[in-house]
Amino acid sequence: MTRVALVTGGTRGIGEAISVALKAAGYDVAASYAGNDTAAKAFQSKTGIAVYKFDVGDFNACKTAIERIQSERGQVDVLVNNAGITRDAAFHRMTPEQWREVISTDLDSVFNVTRNVYEGMRTRGFGRIINISSINGQKGQFGQCNYSAAKAGMIGFTKALAQEGAAKGVTVNCIAPGYIGTEMVRAVQPEVLNTKIIPQIPVGRLGEPEEVARCVVFLASDDAGFLTGSTLTANGGQYIA
Ligand code: NDP
C-alpha cells in the first residue's frame, strides 16, 4: 500500500526538494505551508503534490489540518518536520517576539505536528519521523540564540522519542544540514558567499536541497529500520559533530 508522507514547509526550499524526492520514491505526499499561496500554487501545479495551509506553531490548527490530511489521503506514515524560520539578532538586542516566533515555528511545531500523528504510527507498528535541525543547533551561531536553541531542542526531542518509539516500529531521526543553496542562501552577495561562507566548507561548495532530500528518503525507508535517535550531519565537513 502507498505510504503517506507529510512534509511541513514542503512547498519551498529544502522542503520542496524533500516533497519531490519522496513522491519520486513512491509516497503519497502532503506538503504544508504557512501563507505564501503563490509559491504553494506554483509548487502544486509543477509537481502535482497536494498542499495544505496551516501554522505549525498552533496545536489546534495542526490537529484540524492533520485530521483533514488523514481523511483525504490516509494515515501519515512518514513525517518530516521541516518548516522553520529565522529571526536573527544579537542576544542583547533580541526581542521577546523574535525569541517566541522562532521557538514556536521551529520547536513547538515539532510537538504540535508529531503529537497528532504519533499515536497512529504506534498503533499501526510503523512510523518514520525525520526532523530537519541545523548545523547551528549543533555548534551555536552568533545572532541566533533563538534558532540555535530551537534546533538543539529538536535533537534532544529526537533522542527521547526514539527511545519511546523503538519498540513500536517508529524511528525518529534528525538531519542537521549546513549551508544549502536555497533561494535565501543564493541571495547572499556572491562576494560574501565566495570569500566568507564557502571557504568554511571543506568540500568547497554549498550543499544542494536534493542532497538533504536523499537523506530523508533513506531515513524514511524500510532499510533504515535499525537507525533511530541519530543526527545525520550533512554539512560538507564544516562542523564534525
Ligand atoms: P524556506 O524559507 O525556503 O521555506 C520554509 C518553508 O516553511 C515554507 O514552505 C514556509 O511556508 C514554511 N513555514 C514557515 N513558517 C511556517 C509556519 N509557521 N507554519 C507552517 N509552515 C511554515 O526554508 P529552507 O528550505 O531554507 O529551510 C527548511 C528547513 O531547513 C528549516 O527548518 C531550516 O531551519 C532548515 N535549514 C536550512 C538551511 C539552509 O541553508 N537553507 C540550513 C540548515 C537548516 P510559506 O512558503 O508559506 O512561507
Side-chain angles (χ1 to χ4, degrees):
M1 223 175 76
T2 305
R3 284 183 176 149
V4 174
L6 167 59
V7 183
T8 69
T11 57
R12 287 200 288 122
I14 294 172
E16 173 174 5
I18 294 171
S19 298
V20 167
L22 286 171
K23 184 183 178 198
Y27 296 87
D28 179 2
V29 179
S32 88
Y33 71 105
N36 188 334
D37 296 316
T38 311
K41 273 194 194 126
F43 164 84
Q44 185 171 31
S45 56
K46 189 167 77 179
T47 63
I49 293 171
V51 298
Y52 295 86
K53 178 173 168 175
F54 59 95
D55 178 4
V56 292
D58 175 338
F59 182 83
N60 289 326
C62 291
K63 185 169 189 295
T64 307
I66 290 166
E67 279 166 5
R68 192 178 138 218
I69 291 167
Q70 301 205 126
S71 75
E72 289 177 6
R73 325 202 75 79
Q75 300 294 304
V76 172
D77 303 297
V78 175
L79 166 62
V80 186
N81 284 309
N82 165 78
I85 57 166
T86 52
R87 297 286 182 269
D88 295 356
F91 187 65
H92 63 282
R93 293 182 207 275
M94 189 172 283
T95 63
E97 291 70 30
Q98 288 172 320
W99 173 265
R100 269 196 299 272
E101 278 181 51
V102 169
I103 298 298
S104 166
T105 303
D106 296 17
L107 184 59
D108 289 348
S109 60
V110 177
F111 174 83
N112 295 342
V113 181
T114 308
R115 185 67 185 81
N116 282 298
V117 300
Y118 179 70
E119 276 183 70
M121 291 176 173
R122 267 187 107 236
T123 307
R124 295 190 305 281
F126 179 87
R128 295 284 187 260
I129 296 164
I130 300 155
N131 299 317
I132 308 301
S133 177
S134 166
I135 185 175
N136 293 344
Q138 297 174 299
K139 70 172 187 59
Q141 177 62 38
F142 186 101
Q144 291 196 325
C145 285
N146 48 5
Y147 184 79
S148 299
K151 293 297 184 178
M154 285 177 113
I155 295 174
F157 172 92
T158 298
K159 291 177 179 178
L161 190 62
Q163 294 178 39
E164 295 189 22
K168 297 289 179 185
V170 182
T171 67
V172 191
N173 291 288
C174 250
I175 300 171
Y179 278 100
I180 304 300
T182 54
E183 258 172 63
M184 186 183 72
V185 173
R186 293 214 183 273
V188 174
Q189 288 175 345
E191 201 205 310
V192 175
L193 260 186
N194 293 329
T195 60
K196 297 224 158 69
I197 296 181
I198 293 177
Q200 296 173 25
I201 307 173
V203 303
R205 64 173 177 83
L206 300 173
E208 295 298 330
E210 291 73 19
E211 293 180 295
V212 177
R214 286 196 286 276
C215 297
V216 171
V217 171
F218 171 64
L219 290 173
S221 70
D222 286 327
D223 286 345
F226 201 57
L227 241 163
T228 194
S230 72
T231 297
L232 201 53
T233 296
N235 64 26
Q238 187 181 351
Y239 179 76
I240 314 282

